[in-house]
Amino acid sequence: MSHDPNCVFCKIIAGQIPSRKAYEDDDLLAFHDINPWAPVHVLIVPKQHVAGLSDLAPAHEQWLGKMLLLAPQLMRDNGVNNGFRTVINTGQDGGQEVYHLHMHVFGGPRPWVKG
Ligand code: 5GP
Ligand code: ZN
């Protein structure tokens, strides 16, 4: 499994940096964002390192389906019952800060910090 020793999310996946886990299976990890924008703000990441959407190969197609299917389940598990927002930032102009593919899932009562 590909692991980038300089990547903060790879370190979270490896347990080298602590996180508040929301879900885990063989392919994916979900954990609560350290700097939440909304009452519930979870990040869903593939366990294998890939920098972002632009770096995905056809073999990774199933991750995207799993990530999207996990979002409503995670929101339900965290008591979100009035809708949620999903965001994937890609590259510099897309506002991506951590170069390990991740989907933000925001939910909970507004107002939110931003978003
Ligand atoms: P991006 O701007 O790349 O889409 O979002 C990166 C997100 O990762 C930010 O919302 C940021 O708060 C979150 N983040 C960065 N470092 C850590 C960390 O060490 N732990 C957790 N839980 N979240 C992090
Ligand atoms: Zn990584």
Side-chain angles (χ1 to χ4, degrees), residues 4 7 9-10 49 100:
D4 177 343
C7 169
F9 289 173
C10 282
H49 180 85
H100 180 129

Side-chain angles (χ1 to χ4, degrees), residues 8-9 12 17-20 31-37 41 43 87-90 94-100 102 104:
V8 62
F9 289 173
I12 286 174
I17 293 177
S19 70
R20 199 178 136 216
F31 53 93
H32 293 267
D33 198 289
I34 203 168
N35 187 19
W37 295 9
H41 181 176
L43 302 172
V87 171
I88 301 177
N89 296 323
T90 306
Q96 186 173 5
E97 289 174 2
V98 176
Y99 280 80
H100 180 129
H102 54 280
H104 297 257

Side-chain angles (χ1 to χ4, degrees), residues 7-8 27-28 38 63 78 90 107:
C7 169
V8 62
D27 298 318
L28 304 181
W63 293 347
N78 284 276
T90 306

Side-chain angles (χ1 to χ4, degrees), residues 27-75:
D27 298 318
L28 304 181
L29 179 70
F31 53 93
H32 293 267
D33 198 289
I34 203 168
N35 187 19
W37 295 9
V40 178
H41 181 176
V42 177
L43 302 172
I44 303 175
V45 306
K47 285 188 168 175
Q48 201 168 314
H49 180 85
V50 60
L53 271 187
S54 302
D55 305 277
L56 281 173
H60 303 139
E61 186 179 4
Q62 58 173 333
W63 293 347
L64 298 170
K66 286 189 71 169
M67 288 165 77
L68 282 169
L69 284 169
L70 181 57
Q73 180 188 322
L74 276 178
M75 292 298 103

Side-chain angles (χ1 to χ4, degrees), residues 89-115:
N89 296 323
T90 306
Q92 199 170 354
D93 288 350
Q96 186 173 5
E97 289 174 2
V98 176
Y99 280 80
H100 180 129
L101 175 65
H102 54 280
M103 185 167 76
H104 297 257
V105 193
F106 307 95
R110 288 181 178 268
W112 295 353
V113 177
K114 47 182 175 174

